[in-house]
Amino acid sequence: MPRRRLTAAVTKEGKWYVARCLEVEVTSQGETLEEALANLREALELYFEDASADLPDTGPIIAPVDIEVKQA
């Protein structure tokens, strides 16, 4: 079985860590960072079991975006 490295972005939302794959629309969560990543890994493996789900050819372009936030 071929292996592929994908990119996860993890945020803390309340008591949960939310892990999102940047290449495909798959998200999972866990009470710890490790649990969130393990759950995302499992969700991605299930996602790619579907024959119609193709692996992306390239990784995402990661770029910072600066914004101004007006204080109320």
Side-chain angles (χ1 to χ4, degrees), residues 1-66:
M1 173 178 272
R3 292 184 63 86
R4 177 73 188 264
R5 177 169 287 194
L6 300 171
T7 309
V10 182
T11 55
K12 183 103 191 288
E13 298 181 16
K15 72 173 195 168
W16 296 97
Y17 287 88
V18 178
R20 295 174 178 87
C21 179
L22 299 181
E23 287 84 359
V24 294
E25 295 293 323
V26 176
T27 301
S28 194
Q29 65 184 15
E31 291 185 358
T32 66
L33 175 62
E34 295 78 15
E35 182 180 10
L37 290 171
N39 290 342
L40 179 62
R41 187 175 300 109
E42 180 180 357
L44 285 165
E45 289 170 352
L46 292 170
Y47 176 82
F48 286 113
E49 279 183 3
D50 180 3
S52 66
D54 294 324
L55 283 167
D57 292 332
T58 61
I61 297 171
I62 307 296
V65 177
D66 296 321

